[in-house]
Amino acid sequence: MLSVNSDDLFGEPTPAAAAEQGAGQPLAARMRPRQLSDYHGQQHLLGDGRPLRQALQRGVLHSMILWGPPGVGKTTLAEIIAADCDAHIERLSAVLSGVKEIRAAVVNAQQQWSVYQKRTILFVDEVHRFNKSQQDAFLPFVENGTVTFIGATTENPAFELNNALLSRCRVYTLNALDHDAIAALLQSALTDPVRGLGGRCAIDDDALALLCDVADGDARRALNFLEIASDLAEQTITQALVAEVVQGGARRRFDRGGDHFYDQISALHKSLRGSDPDASLYWFARMLDGGCDPLYIARRLVRVASEDIGNADPRALTIALQSWDVVARLGSPEGELALAQTVTYLACAAKSNAVYKAFNAATALVTAGGSLAVPNHLRNAPTELAKQSGHAAGYRYAHDEPDGFAAGENYFPEALAPVQFYRPVERGLEQQIGAKLARLREANRTALEQRGSAEPGAAL
């Protein structure tokens, strides 16, 4: 068998050799698991009886995408898969590599098989950063079995990867590590005599809990904070020391423009729509804590005011616009209270998506119906020629009619039967709007019957 340096790290080096290999490496790199028994978290994938674990135990390789937030073990899992399946591994970073590097990796893979009958895993970190042509470069070699492809990404593969590549891979979702997994990892790092801190300091329970909290599911982050704290500690890492170490670095995960960003925006919007002010405030605070621009949140609140409240409470749109103005004028943190006020108002307001649905229906009809002519009685007549052509002839000025309503008048194109788009709900102000429109439709129907018209009543 070929001895490949990149694979040697999966062996069991002596303590002295391990210490020499790890010299100068950060704690997070030294503590990278080398086998599944050391791997923390992801029990939904790697627990007993789970398909991925069974495949690894049988040495069965298949192409896959490992999708999850930073610091959950995507790269580590790829390394362990290669070791467990006795496969050569070629590593590429989509940030630094291009088609040239892909081709070189494929040549190495072909040599590994032709000379040593050794399978090759082509591991691409941050694969979502490759463009379409770069992703397409993998396909023939994945298809013919030259390489087994493993890609790691923090972005939703359905949005960032080609369908052709996705169809050849199984997507595994890795979750942020929970409190227990982070705590076990930190305890292991504290006591490991070869790769870890070798017991040179202890840690208070409160300090450990705080480290687990600020890690926010990211193992790398947790170990980096632990290493800094251990360098500063005399004998015991205390909660006060951890608080000092993590100061300014404890923001929650909120990748602007990524999945977590849109997931939290979605959670806020749906909490508002669901009339839950407490959950709405929670997601609002989470977004601010993660560094979201308050002006972006203000924009979304204006959308909610129109899409989910509409005419059931027209004040919602005014309040949303006013809070946007406050944020623009005062900035953060002063303007954030105005947004919080808007969040609670929108959550508690009567809900209606009648305008949203009506607008979408009207848009669809216009798209399908083409450019229907404006009826003569609705046309503008600014010139004598326009009047001679019949523009505005027969138009009834609503303010001259009883109750300010021209009963029986039609405002749709002549080639289009009247359509009812707007259907107010029985909530908030739209209850009154709905009742008024019902009265006007009845007046239309009566007027048309009196004129002996066989056409249906005009819709409003």
Side-chain angles (χ1 to χ4, degrees), residues 293-305 317 320-321 323-324 339:
D293 184 355
L295 288 172
Y296 178 83
I297 300 175
R299 271 184 52 203
R300 294 302 297 244
L301 295 181
V302 170
R303 171 73 182 195
V304 172
L317 183 57
L321 287 169
S323 68
W324 189 347
L339 289 180

Side-chain angles (χ1 to χ4, degrees), residues 183-221:
L185 177 62
L186 293 176
Q187 292 285 18
S188 178
L190 282 166
T191 57
D192 191 306
V194 177
R195 295 181 294 153
L197 300 176
R200 72 172 184 239
C201 61
I203 188 169
D204 289 344
D205 289 342
D206 291 340
L208 180 63
L210 180 57
L211 273 177
C212 293
D213 182 49
V214 299
D216 200 27
D218 186 330
R220 187 184 305 111
R221 189 181 196 187

Side-chain angles (χ1 to χ4, degrees), residues 149-179:
F149 177 78
I150 300 182
T153 178
T154 57
E155 304 296 331
N156 191 330
F159 299 145
E160 302 295 336
L161 301 184
N162 295 350
N163 288 334
L165 181 58
L166 275 178
S167 68
R168 291 162 173 81
C169 301
R170 181 166 180 179
V171 176
Y172 292 105
T173 302
L174 279 68
N175 300 324
L177 300 184
D178 60 23
H179 188 285

